[in-house]
Amino acid sequence: MKLTWVIPTFGFFSLLALTFSCKPKDLGTTISGDAAAKVYVAPGQKDEFYSFVSGGFNGQMSVYGIPSGRLLRIIPVFSQFAESGYGYSEETKPMLNTSNGFVPWDDSHHIALSTTKGEHDGRWVFINGNNTPRIARVSLKTFRTEEIIELPNSGGNHSSPFLTANTEYAVAGTRFSVPPDEVADVPISSFKENFKGYLSFVKIDKTSGRMSIGFQLKTPAVSFDLSRCGRGVSDGWFFFSCYNTEQANTLLEVNASQKDKDFILAVNWKKAEEYLKAGKGKKEPAEYAHNVYDERTHSATSTMIKEVMTLDPKDCPDMLYFIPCPKSPHGCDVDPTGEYIVGSGKLAAVIPVFSFSKMQKAITAKKFDGEFESIPVLNYEAVLHGEVQKPGLGPLHTEFDGQGNAITSFFVSSELVKWNIEKLEVLDRVPTYYSVGHLSIPGGPTMKPHGKYVIAYNKITKDRYLPTGPELAQSAQLYSIDGNKMQLLLDFPTVGEPHYAEALPAALVEPNSVKFFKLEDNFHPYVAKGEKESKVVRKGKEVHVYMTSIRSHFAPDNIEGIKVGDEVYFHVTNLEQDWDVPHGFAIRRANNAEILIMPGETCTLKWIPSKAGIVPMYCTDFCSALHQEMQGYVRVSPANSNVALRWGTGVNLDEEAKVSLK
Ligand code: K7E
Ligand code: CUA
């Protein structure tokens, strides 16, 4: 396919034109003959890679097998998930607590797999919450969200979470500059005086993965978009793309597209650590939630933290530098060696590639073009390795194949373009259908890319799948990159709106995957480790049912003496000790979801009966041939009744019931 375009002059109207996408001329309905064989994973065979895909506005993370494109799991993170009871069960509700109370949704864009020495280590995957600024950590042993930390002073956590080479920090740059939380109520027009852009450095414990806010940098009010850490030669640095350096607060489409160049902010985080040690930090009042899920108790707790350490660049010279970057940069990507930093200006006609060693020289030689809010601005030519000429239109993101090449996604011209980093030459281009956002090469953002494939995550799907009303499935496309030419192999639909994704070899994850939770390690306060321990305990209006489930019955499965308006807690322990045998629990007239209990786990469903009557409950997960028999009854009596509290399984309550003495 040959692409032709006119490099526009950036007037208002051409700007408008640029922000729309074009449809490639070649409709791409033909693919070469061996494509099917390359993505065919025969029944019973497993995929080579796990791919973790952000869910965008569904607030979750999804897991696909690559190259088949098969959806393996949706991991609930920031949004309630009725399928498993995440955010509905008493144990998981605290995960969604914030300084603004319970927030059961978010918008998640970026995936970050943990690394050691710049290579995937298969331990954790991190993801951002954009709307309520948060970072979550998911365990790759359990595929569950283990921790969520909120970020104060941030207006929207887009530029996040990006990790250092040894997963020392996850960074989080605010997309919206806002007044610091303390200042709050000011006129919007006082943007330049009152607004700030905060960069958060979230520390990650080496062994447990536990997160805490190490420090926040108070930077000028711009919009931080994306980021990557330095590595190898540039270890100790972070690079953040910034737009709206015009500092506009209205009609950003026009007003934040005025300048010929915005910035990449280079942050020397090792220096920031030195300043902290030297006592330059200042603790400031703040309020943010830190939510931790404990696998021993199968329960989460939420703690509200009241202060945060901040560093003001004014007290910390030689820590921050601006690199001019053409036209509203979006992606900011660092190559595997750490020497090259690729900026992708959404409205730029070139891809600038910066050199880290040139940047160091320029800093020593003070090759500055003035300052931006007291932060030195480096001279563009002095730090530039070179520009890729006529690469395409609307570059967004770049990943690396580990062979000295980069592949960049182009939203406007709907294509992936492969180019050589050293020579800055375009080597190959393939169309995407349509308007690609992020792209993902397995290991592409690490020091050792695994290569083999690139996956395009497209923003528009028109005419690729059977229509499903006004909203179509999201579209991902898989290409092979191990030959000279990139080759389209497969289209597959995704859920939510995928932004970024990261893939790693299955061998790094599969052997560690937890098969079930050991009952003996269950320290849930309401666990029943065998049917003999099942019981019902009333404490005033609170009723605690210590329930067990095993194929194919609950204990107890008959309960009487519950009254209208009671607060009933079903603490269900799944006694199974085998892989892939969850039981579900649902009860009629509940105002929330089911709970889905993994073997060895305890989960709690809260239920407030509203009417007198006999209320059925049952197992929701088809667990055995007699799954349908896995059901029982709760008798609810009027609030003022004196029906005794009694329960049992396999007995006649009138003859043999266990009775609570309380
Ligand atoms: Cu979709 Cu990374 Cu939020 Cu680009 S971002 S596409
Ligand atoms: Cu247990 Cu179905």
Side-chain angles (χ1 to χ4, degrees), residues 162-185:
F162 297 94
L163 302 173
T164 50
N166 286 304
T167 316
E168 296 99 332
Y169 288 102
V171 295
T174 182
R175 166 183 174 179
F176 303 91
S177 282
V178 285
D181 288 354
E182 285 181 281
V183 178
D185 181 21

Side-chain angles (χ1 to χ4, degrees), residues 347-403:
L347 305 175
V350 296
I351 303 175
V353 182
F354 302 100
S355 149
F356 181 75
S357 45
K358 280 192 176 177
M359 183 184 118
Q360 292 304 304
K361 282 185 200 138
I363 291 171
T364 316
K366 298 211 174 334
K367 286 196 181 161
F368 301 139
D369 284 344
E371 291 183 337
F372 184 82
E373 297 202 4
S374 355
I375 296 170
V377 177
L378 289 156
N379 175 270
Y380 179 71
E381 273 76 26
V383 294
L384 189 72
H385 163 58
E387 292 170 341
V388 184
Q389 298 295 328
K390 294 196 178 183
L393 282 181
L396 290 188
H397 299 282
T398 299
E399 294 252 304
F400 304 91
D401 70 355
Q403 314 289 322

Side-chain angles (χ1 to χ4, degrees), residues 549-554 576 581-584 618-624 626-630:
S549 64
I550 195 159
R551 281 163 287 180
S552 299
H553 60 271
F554 293 108
E576 309 279 356
V581 199
H583 292 285
Y618 70 102
C619 170
T620 52
D621 188 314
F622 209 109
C623 50
S624 74
L626 297 173
H627 150 80
Q628 206 67 354
E629 280 73 6
M630 197 164 170

Side-chain angles (χ1 to χ4, degrees), residues 7 13 112 169 202 206 282 325 340 415 419 495 498 530 553 583:
I7 295 180
F13 291 102
Y169 288 102
V202 175
K206 261 198 186 89
K282 216 174 102 194
C325 184
Y340 299 111
E415 57 185 335
W419 49 277
V495 289
H553 60 271
H583 292 285

Side-chain angles (χ1 to χ4, degrees), residues 109-110 130 158 225-226 330 396-397 436-438 459 497-500:
H109 290 211
H110 303 121
N130 192 3
H158 190 265
D225 208 12
L226 283 139
H330 187 54
L396 290 188
H397 299 282
V436 55
H438 274 278
K459 298 299 179 195
E497 185 197 2
H499 287 259
Y500 189 45

Side-chain angles (χ1 to χ4, degrees), residues 80 88 587-594 605-610:
Q80 279 178 302
Y88 292 94
I587 185 156
R588 204 182 157 211
R589 297 197 186 126
N591 291 104
N592 54 9
E594 66 159 348
L605 192 77
K606 181 179 171 183
W607 176 63
I608 301 179
S610 54

Side-chain angles (χ1 to χ4, degrees), residues 243-307:
Y243 63 99
N244 194 21
T245 56
E246 294 86 349
Q247 302 188 307
N249 53 267
T250 183
L251 196 61
L252 265 63
E253 175 184 14
V254 176
N255 295 330
S257 305
Q258 295 301 310
K259 287 196 187 169
D260 210 43
K261 292 197 174 66
D262 290 284
F263 296 128
I264 287 173
L265 176 63
V267 178
N268 185 338
W269 62 265
K270 289 256 161 94
K271 199 128 228 174
E273 285 187 330
E274 284 168 23
Y275 283 124
L276 277 178
K277 262 199 194 137
K280 297 278 182 190
K282 216 174 102 194
K283 280 193 178 159
E284 291 185 5
E287 195 184 15
Y288 60 98
H290 182 209
N291 311 330
V292 178
Y293 185 82
D294 182 348
E295 213 179 277
R296 284 162 46 89
T297 57
H298 299 288
S299 305
T301 48
S302 178
T303 314
M304 211 50 79
I305 302 176
K306 298 286 186 186
E307 59 179 19

